[in-house]
Amino acid sequence: MENQDKKRLLIIDAALKRFAHYGLAKTTMTEIAKDISFSKALLYYYFPDKLSLYVSVIENMMHTLSRDLIKSVDKTSTATEGILILLQKRQAFIQKYYKLIEFTQMIGPELPEALYEKFTRARAFELKIITELLSKGNQSGELAVQDIPFTTEIFVEAVSGIHFNILKRAKHLFPGKEEFKLIFLKEKRFAEIFLAGLKPVNRS
């Protein structure tokens, strides 16, 4: 069983590198098998098709990102610092793996059920970590948020809007460093303005 798990992880790692560099559409199962000197039959033993492999790659990648985010956010001392670190990590992740995740935008809103479930879990994790940071801000007196879950939803939806609006205006297929830089600058500025509005009002 341990050997099978190692082979499965080898396949996922090889697929991640291929998908991240060439995208899903331009990657074949034959190329992935060749990269790790596996037969196509062995590859299909673990993953019946490219989509099932893609789903496993996405899941593995999200686990890695989640662990990294938790570790980084735990080191911060304020809610504001935690949220800014989260945005920085999130943007670096999207930039690094854009060719991997662009497939989900190409196929539109009708995501396969397995993919929909993974991205739903990813969004729930993001909401959870921001909710915890806002709660931390309330407890320390840094913030005074009345409805934390609703405020979290507004924040996440607004940040997503900045990201997609800038990418939608890009005239070339793959966004460049300037687009990603602009996205992060706008997200960071928005977060600073948003969080400033959540600080306790000094009535003295």
Side-chain angles (χ1 to χ4, degrees):
M1 182 64 73
E2 186 179 343
N3 191 43
Q4 284 188 341
D5 288 341
K6 284 181 180 178
K7 287 180 179 178
R8 188 173 185 278
L9 288 173
L10 274 173
I11 295 168
I12 289 173
D13 186 54
L16 171 60
K17 290 172 183 173
R18 278 275 171 184
F19 293 154
H21 193 268
Y22 298 104
L24 182 72
K26 293 182 179 179
T27 298
T28 68
M29 295 290 269
T30 301
E31 289 167 336
I32 294 168
K34 187 178 178 182
D35 286 343
I36 47 178
S37 301
F38 280 9
S39 66
K40 279 182 68 177
L42 183 58
L43 207 65
Y44 282 113
Y45 170 78
Y46 288 96
F47 301 98
D49 51 46
K50 192 164 65 169
L51 181 59
S52 65
L53 175 54
Y54 177 77
V55 171
S56 292
V57 167
I58 290 290
E59 181 177 35
N60 188 67
M61 190 175 58
M62 286 178 173
H63 281 314
T64 301
L65 175 64
S66 298
R67 287 194 300 268
D68 185 39
L69 279 176
I70 291 170
K71 188 177 178 181
S72 299
V73 168
D74 282 347
K75 292 178 181 177
T76 61
S77 55
T78 66
T80 300
E81 186 185 355
I83 287 174
L84 292 177
I85 285 290
L86 183 146
L87 289 178
Q88 184 180 8
K89 291 280 183 180
R90 179 178 178 270
Q91 192 56 40
F93 169 82
I94 292 171
Q95 184 172 349
K96 183 177 181 180
Y97 294 112
Y98 184 79
K99 283 190 178 180
L100 176 63
I101 59 179
E102 68 175 345
F103 168 72
T104 62
Q105 296 165 37
M106 288 165 55
I107 59 178
E110 296 301 319
L111 284 175
E113 186 61 33
L115 270 181
Y116 178 78
E117 188 266 336
K118 303 303 177 199
F119 283 103
T120 299
R121 280 170 54 191
R123 186 176 188 276
F125 171 78
E126 188 174 32
L127 289 169
K128 180 176 180 290
I129 200 166
I130 293 174
T131 296
E132 289 173 354
L133 283 167
L134 293 181
S135 297
K136 175 182 176 180
N138 269 7
Q139 290 165 9
S140 68
E142 175 194 357
L143 304 174
V145 187
Q146 295 299 320
D147 188 338
I148 291 177
F150 189 58
T151 303
T152 299
E153 285 187 12
I154 293 171
F155 180 82
V156 170
E157 288 168 7
V159 167
S160 296
I162 291 170
H163 176 88
F164 289 115
N165 280 332
I166 292 174
L167 292 188
K168 193 175 180 181
R169 292 199 301 268
K171 293 182 179 179
H172 39 84
L173 183 62
F174 184 73
K177 288 183 179 179
E178 290 305 310
E179 279 90 5
F180 282 117
K181 183 179 178 182
L182 181 59
I183 288 168
F184 178 65
L185 285 174
K186 286 193 172 183
E187 287 180 349
K188 183 174 181 288
R189 184 63 184 132
F190 167 74
E192 289 167 347
I193 295 168
F194 188 89
L195 292 166
L198 297 177
K199 290 188 180 297
V201 178
N202 189 349
R203 300 184 184 279
S204 58

